């Protein structure tokens, strides 16, 4: 029985993915706002980019459908950097997809600069959301699935986000 429990725990640990999710929040002016920003829940949109997201594309218009089941847990936010438009926070998130991720047909690395975040633009709250959107625009697929495989931050100004894509699961 102990062996079975150990095997199950190892399996669960292997299927969970620990990811850093970055979010820019507008600058706070009071200690209460700072406390709220530090303990606020990470938006699910910023987490869902780590599992396949179905998309349809018509020119530059993209529709997204969250089609992959997953659960996640997160700790408190850590302030990483002040930007001209807000504060960049990092959440360490453990993501548990309900099934294994598909094999990608394409990988695209998207560079996001910190000054592009928090501008109020489309998907500008998170480098992951912005990178996913740009990668989908860059491929010829009219429909397909896209997800983030890694986010690397140089702790100064640049994110390198690797996006996986496939036209079918």
């Amino acid at each position: 029985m102990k062996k079975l429990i150990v095997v199950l725990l190892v399996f669960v640990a292997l299927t969970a993915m620990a990811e850093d999710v970055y979010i820019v929040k507008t600058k706070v002016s009071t200690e209460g706002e700072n406390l709220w920003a530090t303990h606020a829940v990470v938006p699910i949109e910023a987490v869902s980019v780590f599992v396949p997201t179905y998309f349809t594309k018509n020119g530059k218009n993209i529709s997204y459908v969250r089609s992959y089941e997953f659960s996640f847990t997160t700790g408190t936010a850590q302030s990483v950097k002040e930007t001209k438009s807000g504060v960049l926070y990092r959440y360490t998130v453990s993501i548990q997809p309900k099934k294994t991720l598909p094999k990608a047909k394409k990988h695209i690395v998207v560079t996001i600069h910190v000054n592009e975040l928090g501008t109020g633009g489309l998907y500008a709250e998170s480098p992951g959301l912005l990178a996913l959107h740009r990668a989908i625009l860059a491929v010829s697929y009219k429909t397909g699935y896209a997800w983030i495989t890694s986010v690397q931050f140089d702790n100064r100004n640049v994110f390198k986000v690797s996006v996986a894509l496939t036209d079918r699961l």
Side-chain angles (χ1 to χ4, degrees), residues 51-94:
V51 295
T53 298
Y54 179 76
F55 67 88
T56 57
K57 183 168 63 170
N58 184 8
K60 291 191 182 247
N61 294 325
I62 302 172
S63 297
Y64 298 95
V65 176
R66 222 180 281 134
S67 61
Y68 226 72
E69 290 186 44
F70 69 98
S71 60
F72 70 96
T73 55
T74 184
T76 58
Q78 178 184 12
S79 173
V80 175
K81 179 177 182 68
E82 262 197 60
T83 69
K84 59 185 172 188
S85 58
V87 178
L88 178 66
Y89 288 93
R90 178 180 63 231
Y91 296 84
T92 300
V93 177
S94 177

Side-chain angles (χ1 to χ4, degrees), residues 16-50:
M17 306 177 302
E19 302 292 348
D20 286 334
V21 176
Y22 294 88
I23 302 292
V24 171
K25 296 184 181 181
T26 57
K27 289 187 179 179
V28 294
S29 58
T30 68
E31 185 60 33
E33 288 174 329
N34 184 48
L35 187 62
W36 180 87
T38 302
H39 295 285
V41 175
V42 64
I44 193 165
E45 292 81 12
V47 176
S48 68
V49 296
F50 289 94

Side-chain angles (χ1 to χ4, degrees), residues 1 6 11 13 31 52 56 65 89 98 100 112 117 132 148 166:
M1 184 67 166
V6 170
F11 176 75
E31 185 60 33
T56 57
V65 176
Y89 288 93
K98 299 295 182 193
T100 59
I112 305 290
L117 301 173
L132 191 79
I148 302 235
T166 188

